[in-house]
Amino acid sequence: MAQILAASPTCQMRVTKPSSIASSKLWSSVMVKQKKQSRSTSFRVMALQSDNSTINRVESLLNLDTKPFTDRIIAEYIWIGGSGIDLRSKSRTLEKPVEDPSELPKWNYDGSSTGQAPGEDSEVILYPQAIFRDPFRGGNNILVICDTYTPAGEPIPTNKRAKAAEIFSNKKVNDEVPWFGIEQEYTLLQPNVNWPLGWPVGAYPGPQGPYYCGVGAEKSWGRDISDAHYKACLYAGINISGTNGEVMPGQWEFQVGPSVGIEAGDHVWCARYLLERITEQAGVVLTLDPKPIDGDWNGAGCHTNYSTKSMREEGGFEVIKKAILNLSLRHMEHISAYGEGNERRLTGKHETASIDQFSWGVANRGCSIRVGRDTEKKGKGYLEDRRPASNMDPYIVTSLLAETTLLWEPTLEAEALAAQKLSLNV
């Protein structure tokens, strides 16, 4: 993960000229193979129960290039639903291509149908915030990340982006140019049975060991989905930096970053949307549950790598240690915001720290906060917060890290006690 915080961050908030990716070829090629009690099942992208001619006719319409006939484009407005983790979207026609969210109209939806407003006053307003290219429709069509407001212009309770944007616009935070590299783990499940992809239904594969970054039909299940998602993110303009198979079979990870400030949350949410759409097309279920399978199996996290300008400069290790001290003093506040069900994952086993106890260490994946060997050697760099669950909200986690390390000041007494307890000389 170190590499995603090593390069200069780039902003992908504006739409540039689309690349020549043939999105139709990409989606029609996705095939997920799984073993189910010694039988092979294939999930095709098109979930149509019909003959090939019908499928071909539908695909030909999906692949139509409208540019020679009209300047009008399709904008897919995307927002976070009432659970705080579900994604919703709907489409609208725009008269011409756009390059900046400020050119887009606000829109509304029925918040009573998403658990975000009462039926008698159900209108919720969508504010466009970030634009990405649409890898499903291609052309000049776009995906639009939105946040949500009342008709009076107040953020609704599930709108966590608004508060995050306020924190990142603070001059003290902005001057420190906070970088984030987010490692999103996820698990693929067989439909109907809610059991990991590739696993025999109701039974288990061999123990963990050969699956992490594994290659081969007996070790890797779901690679086509991971690869399709990778290319879709690159096409869209998401700052994706890598992907790999995880420790538990059927579990994968992608990394986003380095991203600056609020951009990190926008890019992760858009990447999640693409993954939801791809698994929808492939007929596979996506879950961000932090502990999808009980027992001797790794959970799913969303480790968040973080650095500030001062951490990346000479003497930065001392700044990192001061940040760790602050994080230790607000441990439970962070835990409460780091994802639902995280207590099932943070047990002190399977490369996690105990949820009740804060810890830090160099190259120690069993700690709350890990510092890399390279950071220790160079005396500058970044820290990795290993506590966030896979279902965390990146707007909350990134802004809380910035708030705790840059804006919040502990009492001198509390700071001294924490430094002694953690063996931090700051």
Side-chain angles (χ1 to χ4, degrees):
M1 193 59 200
Q3 72 273 18
I4 77 171
L5 290 182
S8 296
T10 56
C11 181
Q12 299 287 350
M13 300 291 281
R14 294 176 180 268
V15 171
T16 57
K17 186 177 180 180
S19 69
S20 60
I21 291 179
S23 59
S24 61
K25 302 285 187 184
L26 173 62
W27 310 124
S28 63
S29 69
V30 175
M31 182 76 76
V32 181
K33 296 179 180 178
Q34 69 166 47
K35 288 193 171 181
K36 181 177 178 182
Q37 297 177 340
S38 300
R39 297 180 63 186
S40 177
T41 303
S42 297
F43 296 101
R44 293 195 63 83
V45 171
M46 297 300 297
L48 296 177
Q49 301 299 318
S50 186
D51 58 29
N52 288 336
S53 62
T54 301
I55 292 175
N56 289 338
R57 288 197 298 272
V58 172
E59 284 187 339
S60 67
L61 290 172
L62 287 171
N63 299 336
L64 278 178
D65 181 8
T66 61
K67 284 190 294 183
F69 310 102
T70 180
D71 290 331
R72 304 174 91 191
I73 67 165
I74 302 170
E76 190 76 18
Y77 278 44
I78 302 164
W79 71 96
I80 301 163
S83 72
I85 191 66
D86 61 310
L87 284 162
R88 310 288 179 122
S89 74
K90 61 177 183 172
S91 312
R92 69 179 298 163
T93 303
L94 302 178
E95 292 304 312
K96 62 180 181 178
V98 298
E99 294 186 350
D100 191 271
S102 64
E103 301 176 60
L104 292 166
K106 296 174 185 176
W107 205 6
N108 65 74
Y109 67 93
D110 173 16
S112 68
S113 296
T114 62
Q116 293 171 293
E120 63 273 15
D121 187 15
S122 64
E123 193 167 285
V124 179
I125 312 301
L126 294 169
Y127 285 36
Q129 299 292 356
I131 295 176
F132 298 88
R133 292 181 290 271
D134 186 341
F136 302 103
R137 295 185 173 114
N140 291 322
N141 301 301
I142 57 174
L143 305 175
V144 184
I145 295 294
C146 305
D147 59 355
T148 46
Y149 295 80
T150 67
E154 295 295 323
I156 67 172
T158 52
N159 179 357
K160 307 305 180 184
R161 190 187 189 281
K163 182 180 178 182
E166 182 180 335
I167 290 171
F168 286 122
S169 65
N170 182 287
K171 186 178 186 305
K172 189 173 181 181
V173 175
N174 190 61
D175 288 349
E176 281 289 340
V177 196
W179 288 10
F180 299 95
I182 298 177
E183 307 173 37
Q184 176 68 69
E185 294 179 344
Y186 60 93
T187 307
L188 300 174
L189 303 177
Q190 302 170 48
N192 303 320
V193 295
N194 286 329
W195 201 243
L197 195 68
W199 291 33
V201 177
Y204 300 88
Q208 294 183 155
Y211 309 111
Y212 172 69
C213 297
V215 178
E218 297 298 317
K219 307 178 190 71
S220 178
W221 302 308
R223 187 183 300 278
D224 281 353
I225 288 176
S226 175
D227 282 353
H229 178 251
Y230 201 160
K231 289 185 177 181
C233 285
L234 289 172
Y235 181 95
I238 291 168
N239 195 14
I240 189 169
S241 53
T243 185
N244 59 268
E246 267 303 328
V247 177
M248 189 184 85
Q251 189 180 92
W252 291 81
E253 173 184 302
F254 65 89
Q255 302 97 32
V256 172
S259 302
V260 179
I262 197 70
E263 176 188 310
D266 291 337
H267 282 233
V268 169
W269 274 115
C270 192
R272 286 177 173 179
Y273 173 80
L274 294 182
L275 188 56
E276 288 277 14
R277 287 284 305 277
I278 291 166
T279 52
E280 170 192 320
Q281 291 183 346
V284 173
V285 177
L286 167 69
T287 179
L288 298 182
D289 190 300
K291 186 69 174 178
I293 301 296
D294 292 333
D296 195 17
W297 303 98
N298 275 34
C302 204
H303 304 154
T304 302
N305 299 269
Y306 168 62
S307 71
T308 63
K309 184 172 179 285
S310 298
M311 293 178 186
R312 298 187 292 268
E313 294 176 343
E314 294 301 322
F317 195 20
E318 295 306 310
V319 181
I320 290 172
K321 289 194 288 185
K322 174 61 168 65
I324 292 171
L325 189 150
N326 279 21
L327 290 168
S328 74
L329 292 170
R330 299 186 87 189
H331 175 61
M332 294 314 298
E333 184 172 343
H334 280 251
I335 287 295
S336 66
Y338 274 13
E340 187 177 348
N342 211 11
E343 71 282 352
R344 293 182 284 116
R345 168 181 161 262
L346 295 180
T347 61
K349 300 178 181 178
H350 305 111
E351 301 180 270
T352 70
S354 169
I355 195 170
D356 298 316
Q357 185 175 355
F358 181 90
S359 58
W360 81 283
V362 175
N364 187 344
R365 282 177 164 77
C367 285
S368 308
I369 304 293
R370 182 183 70 88
V371 174
R373 290 285 183 201
D374 198 48
T375 294
E376 180 188 44
K377 181 179 179 181
K378 291 181 178 180
K380 59 183 179 180
Y382 69 98
L383 62 83
E384 178 192 33
D385 191 341
R386 297 180 59 80
R387 297 171 295 174
S390 51
N391 59 4
M392 64 82 151
D393 186 330
Y395 293 133
I396 295 175
V397 170
T398 56
S399 61
L400 190 55
L401 280 168
E403 181 184 59
T404 295
T405 60
L406 295 172
L407 301 178
W408 183 76
E409 289 293 340
T411 65
L412 292 177
E413 182 181 9
E415 187 177 73
L417 289 172
Q420 183 179 19
K421 182 179 179 180
L422 297 172
S423 300
L424 283 168
N425 297 316
V426 294

